[in-house]
Amino acid sequence: HPRFNGVIFFKLWNTTEQLDGVPELKNEWRKRDLFNSGGNIFVVPQQDIDEGGETISKPDSDNLLHRAGSKSSSTYDRMSVILSDMARFVLCHRFGGTYLDADTIFLRDWEELWGWKGAFAYRWSRLPRYNTAVLHMNKHSALGTFLFRTALKNDLDFHPMTISRYTQDAHLEELLLRLPDALFDSAWLNTESFQRDRPPQPYFTDFAHFFETPKVNSAAPQAMGVEGFFKGAYSYHFHNFWWKPFDPHRNWPDLGERFIAGERQARNTSDMLIEPSDREDLDWATVLKRTFEAYIRGERPNMYGEWLQW
């Protein structure tokens, strides 16, 4: 849409180009294994690598090395996740800024975070470790140089737990601020059977409850609305579940006439999972999606009382 020209850009990822753009890696990364997660190395056979060093994708294969996206919990695209552990640090070090996992939903304005000059990630549930599902770093910072040189000596292991070990061993944890997980991942402690007294609301004991709200709490989404969804948190991380539709009955972008072309294209997609009618009580994922769509259509204001005028 013309309104977003010059605001949102989509760019293709090229592993060779990106790693060659990191001075700390460019002369040595080719001698390392790219798929190292917490010391577990996944070796890609030479026949699955093209002349440019890129992995040859075979999306129709169920082989771990050839998956193109996660279609279920049993066919999890582990290789893409491992590569993304490194990609987030590459992008933040090369260009500066904030990385977020794609399974993150914005819940409020981030202006307070955009303007902060330090580096940060957030806490791994109850553990004094980092989760880099949200990561902010400055361009070509000393912290970035340290992390890349250290990761290079550890076979390019960028798993969040390993990053925690790097900073802890070097007494540099103060350079990468560990924010409370409640700000970005409010349900995490509850899903691991912690903080069950006076828990944050809504009360999820499993990340799947975002998509399939238990019957005992099924009235909450429509009664509380988006304003009652982890109020005060900056975002919500739903931890994968890529194969779950946000809106089983309307599994397409319902954004009105301005975006009708995209809606028609989605409706005609052959593999769309559509339920014949709405569930008796809408799940949290559905309520959030339809609330956002109503805002885009100009039918309601956002959480700050602002209306979108096209």
Side-chain angles (χ1 to χ4, degrees):
H1 193 278
R3 185 183 183 91
F4 304 114
N5 283 347
V7 177
I8 300 174
F9 296 92
F10 293 93
K11 297 191 176 184
L12 292 175
W13 169 268
N14 183 295
T15 302
T16 302
E17 175 188 345
Q18 292 296 334
L19 295 186
D20 282 345
V22 179
E24 294 84 356
L25 295 182
K26 65 178 182 179
N27 295 325
E28 301 180 62
W29 70 266
R30 288 175 174 80
K31 304 173 185 176
R32 302 292 195 275
D33 293 301
L34 289 181
F35 299 99
N36 183 358
S37 178
N40 298 311
I41 297 175
F42 296 81
V43 179
V44 179
Q46 191 62 37
Q47 62 267 26
D48 289 335
I49 302 178
D50 64 18
E51 295 179 356
E54 298 294 317
T55 301
I56 301 173
S57 177
K58 302 174 184 177
D60 293 333
S61 173
D62 191 40
N63 186 291
L64 175 65
L65 302 178
H66 301 149
R67 291 173 186 164
S70 301
K71 296 179 175 61
S72 70
S73 58
S74 60
T75 58
Y76 188 66
D77 186 2
R78 181 67 176 163
M79 307 303 282
S80 294
V81 173
I82 295 173
L83 187 60
S84 79
D85 284 341
M86 176 173 61
R88 66 197 67 191
F89 284 94
V90 170
L91 293 174
C92 288
H93 187 57
R94 288 195 66 193
F95 306 106
T98 304
Y99 165 92
L100 291 91
D101 274 357
D103 51 353
T104 297
I105 301 173
F106 286 96
L107 298 179
R108 56 176 286 199
D109 185 12
W110 279 47
E111 192 63 34
E112 298 164 314
L113 300 179
W114 302 143
W116 196 65
K117 296 182 179 180
F120 63 81
Y122 71 88
R123 185 179 178 124
W124 186 289
S125 184
R126 68 191 187 282
L127 302 176
R129 298 287 186 269
Y130 295 113
N131 185 354
T132 55
V134 174
L135 174 68
H136 176 82
M137 289 176 57
N138 294 309
K139 182 178 180 179
H140 297 309
S141 65
L143 172 64
T145 296
F146 162 77
L147 291 174
F148 278 108
R149 294 305 299 173
T150 305
L152 193 62
K153 301 303 180 184
N154 288 269
D155 292 321
L156 295 178
D157 190 350
F158 284 90
H159 189 278
M161 288 288 190
T162 312
I163 295 294
S164 301
R165 177 165 56 82
Y166 297 161
T167 58
Q168 186 178 40
D169 289 351
H171 301 280
L172 294 178
E173 289 183 295
E174 292 185 2
L175 294 184
L176 184 60
L177 182 64
R178 189 184 299 116
L179 293 174
D181 61 340
L183 295 178
F184 310 100
D185 213 329
S186 304
W188 202 351
L189 284 172
N190 294 158
T191 64
E192 296 185 345
S193 301
F194 290 93
Q195 199 177 325
R196 293 293 176 87
D197 294 333
R198 303 186 68 200
Q201 297 298 317
Y203 180 47
F204 293 164
T205 57
D206 191 297
F207 289 119
H209 291 172
F210 176 63
F211 297 94
E212 298 175 353
T213 308
K215 284 290 185 182
V216 68
N217 297 320
S218 62
Q222 286 169 272
M224 298 169 62
V226 66
E227 292 82 3
F229 187 80
F230 296 120
K231 192 175 182 67
Y234 285 101
S235 59
Y236 176 68
H237 185 197
F238 58 84
H239 288 256
N240 308 311
F241 291 96
W242 307 107
W243 49 93
K244 291 281 191 182
F246 271 65
D247 193 340
H249 180 52
R250 303 182 198 168
N251 194 16
W252 57 74
D254 187 11
L255 303 176
E257 289 300 318
R258 293 181 182 85
F259 301 93
I260 194 63
E263 178 179 333
R264 287 171 179 161
Q265 182 179 2
R267 282 174 176 262
N268 293 330
T269 302
S270 59
D271 61 349
M272 297 294 282
L273 301 175
I274 306 296
E275 292 186 358
S277 61
D278 272 334
R279 296 173 181 176
E280 183 177 10
D281 293 312
L282 299 181
D283 300 307
W284 274 110
T286 303
V287 168
L288 263 63
K289 172 182 175 289
R290 293 190 184 183
T291 302
F292 173 75
E293 290 169 337
Y295 169 65
I296 296 296
R297 293 193 301 263
E299 297 171 2
R300 60 158 290 158
N302 64 15
M303 64 184 298
Y304 299 102
E306 300 165 333
W307 291 81
L308 188 58
Q309 297 188 10
W310 295 95

